Amino acid sequence: MSAYRDKDPRIHGIQSRIRVVPNFPKSGIMFQDITTLLLDPKAFKDTVDLFVERYRGKNISVVAGIEARGFIFGPAIALEIGAKFVPLRKPKKLPGKVISEEYELEYGRDCLEMHLGAVEPGDRALVVDDLIATGGTLCAAMKLLERVGADVVECACVIELPDLKGREQLNGKPLYVLVESH
């Protein structure tokens, strides 16, 4: 499911504001930089609005944003749809008791942590990040949420790198993206 396939007229403005930085953070990676999108208030608002339009009225009780760029879009979406926001952070960034999930990246390994008690059994969760590449980060986020009894309704990303087949790693969980990058 994708906004670009729905031919929403706002998509071109969003896509044109995403800068591609070659060989960052290491050689061979074509980094999709959304900081340039954030510099354009209309494109930034259109990005948030497209997600809000999709999720308003879907009984989402928690929006889980993946560090760090999921923290940019997730809270705005959560506020607009009346859900709580839960940050999924890198190791040793959250005080108190946490649960963790390790995962593979397209260029290494990492780990996500979440506060115990932030999400409750039966919460309907939306996972938000800026990009899906191999799918490892989204899978780790879904595992964290499901381990505490949440129902992950969907994952939402601004950008998909379809050549890396991350969508296929989500075990059939719906993924909504605004733009594709090849």
Side-chain angles (χ1 to χ4, degrees), residues 20-32:
V20 178
V21 181
N23 300 312
F24 183 83
K26 65 186 227 178
S27 183
I29 303 292
M30 299 296 285
F31 187 79
Q32 306 291 312

Side-chain angles (χ1 to χ4, degrees), residues 38-81:
L38 304 176
L39 295 173
D40 183 326
K42 181 181 180 343
F44 185 19
K45 182 178 185 325
D46 286 347
T47 301
V48 172
D49 287 350
L50 281 162
F51 289 126
V52 168
E53 290 163 17
R54 179 166 180 84
Y55 299 112
R56 183 176 276 134
K58 301 272 198 228
N59 297 317
I60 304 288
S61 56
V62 60
V63 174
I66 297 172
E67 186 170 341
R69 292 172 296 278
F71 294 1
I72 295 168
F73 302 102
I77 296 165
L79 283 172
E80 287 296 317
I81 67 172

Side-chain angles (χ1 to χ4, degrees), residues 6 79 83 85 87 89 93 113-114 127 141 167-168 176-177:
D6 297 339
L79 283 172
F85 176 76
R89 302 226 42 201
K93 300 283 186 176
E113 293 184 341
M114 177 178 74
V127 179
R167 185 182 289 264
E168 296 172 14
Y176 184 71
V177 298

Side-chain angles (χ1 to χ4, degrees), residues 155-168:
C155 297
C157 295
V158 178
I159 307 161
E160 179 179 13
L161 304 178
D163 296 343
L164 296 180
K165 302 187 184 319
R167 185 182 289 264
E168 296 172 14

Side-chain angles (χ1 to χ4, degrees), residues 1-180:
M1 291 171 271
S2 309
Y4 64 89
R5 290 208 173 109
D6 297 339
K7 308 231 186 308
D8 190 291
R10 296 170 285 187
I11 294 303
H12 175 72
I14 293 166
Q15 191 161 24
S16 70
R17 299 303 185 267
I18 298 168
R19 173 175 57 175
V20 178
V21 181
N23 300 312
F24 183 83
K26 65 186 227 178
S27 183
I29 303 292
M30 299 296 285
F31 187 79
Q32 306 291 312
D33 181 14
I34 55 95
T35 62
T36 48
L37 168 69
L38 304 176
L39 295 173
D40 183 326
K42 181 181 180 343
F44 185 19
K45 182 178 185 325
D46 286 347
T47 301
V48 172
D49 287 350
L50 281 162
F51 289 126
V52 168
E53 290 163 17
R54 179 166 180 84
Y55 299 112
R56 183 176 276 134
K58 301 272 198 228
N59 297 317
I60 304 288
S61 56
V62 60
V63 174
I66 297 172
E67 186 170 341
R69 292 172 296 278
F71 294 1
I72 295 168
F73 302 102
I77 296 165
L79 283 172
E80 287 296 317
I81 67 172
K84 61 185 170 182
F85 176 76
V86 173
L88 304 180
R89 302 226 42 201
K90 304 292 183 190
K92 306 200 184 309
K93 300 283 186 176
L94 292 171
K97 294 188 187 242
V98 298
I99 60 171
S100 358
E101 188 71 39
E102 287 194 12
Y103 62 98
E104 298 274 337
L105 286 167
E106 62 274 21
Y107 50 84
R109 293 189 58 75
D110 214 335
C111 180
L112 284 178
E113 293 184 341
M114 177 178 74
H115 272 131
L116 278 174
V119 177
E120 299 176 19
D123 270 339
R124 288 177 47 84
L126 170 67
V127 179
V128 175
D129 205 357
D130 68 322
L131 178 138
I132 178 170
T134 63
T137 310
L138 288 177
C139 285
M142 289 190 300
K143 285 178 187 172
L144 276 176
L145 293 160
E146 289 169 349
R147 280 170 51 196
V148 297
D151 172 26
V152 177
V153 175
E154 193 162 270
C155 297
C157 295
V158 178
I159 307 161
E160 179 179 13
L161 304 178
D163 296 343
L164 296 180
K165 302 187 184 319
R167 185 182 289 264
E168 296 172 14
Q169 305 307 311
L170 302 182
N171 299 318
K173 191 63 67 180
L175 170 68
Y176 184 71
V177 298
L178 301 186
V179 301
E180 279 188 353

